[in-house]
Amino acid sequence: MFEVARSEYAIFLNGGYGVGKSATLEHVGDLLAQAGRPFSLMDVDWFHRSWPPAEQDNALLEADNIAAVWKRYRTAGPRQLVMCGVISTEAARDRYEAAVGCPVRPVRLTADAHVTRRRLRGRYSASQQPALDWHLKRWDEIAARLEAADLDECSIDTTALAPHAVAERILRHFGLGSMPNASNG
């Protein structure tokens, strides 16, 4: 029997490019599943990635898509929503909260600039050089915006941590830390 998880809030893994948000999201899901806690994962990048950009603002399209998917997930019963992406303004946080109908509680993931650049270089093939260049060019600006916005309830430096250890720390922060086989990572 699964332990019922109510959607009182959404956990949001917040951070710039290459800090490990997507990898950590997968491990959060694995740990919640091992503990028998119903959940839904959303990497918000996949809710707006299309070309050409929508006639309406892509952020609004993203919010509409998230709302529709979250509505469908909730028909399967109560669950913990865990999202990842970038929230660098109160307006963005408000937009996500409106989309999912509950408070969004961001946890910022950070990493050393050298490490994030190395991670980004490992993510893209030679044929994806323009995408790599785009992310490398904007990395510093995103990191500075996130720091200045100060919207996160805690911060975790992922420089020397594996995604599984980051996931464990996040779940402990939210009182969901009694995961089976959880190390003290």
Side-chain angles (χ1 to χ4, degrees), residues 11-87:
I11 298 169
F12 196 100
L13 312 182
N14 193 21
Y17 313 122
V19 297
K21 299 180 306 288
S22 297
T24 299
L25 182 70
E26 290 293 327
H27 285 272
V28 167
D30 292 345
L31 289 170
L32 290 171
Q34 288 171 15
R37 296 177 190 263
F39 67 91
S40 294
L41 304 179
M42 291 187 188
D43 187 328
V44 302
D45 286 348
W46 289 102
F47 289 87
H48 67 253
R49 186 166 180 176
S50 63
W51 192 91
E55 286 185 32
Q56 66 174 333
D57 181 353
N58 256 4
L60 298 177
L61 178 65
E62 174 191 78
D64 289 347
N65 290 339
I66 288 169
V69 171
W70 181 232
K71 180 180 178 182
R72 183 68 183 122
Y73 274 138
R74 287 183 313 197
T75 66
R79 56 198 51 249
Q80 177 63 60
L81 176 58
V82 186
M83 307 166 76
C84 74
V86 177
I87 296 178

Side-chain angles (χ1 to χ4, degrees), residues 46 49 117 119-138:
W46 289 102
R49 186 166 180 176
R117 287 183 174 92
R119 290 174 182 171
L120 287 169
R121 286 185 183 97
R123 180 185 301 174
Y124 296 100
S125 68
S127 67
Q128 295 174 305
Q129 189 65 42
L132 172 61
D133 293 343
W134 188 91
H135 284 90
L136 290 173
K137 181 178 177 181
R138 288 163 180 79

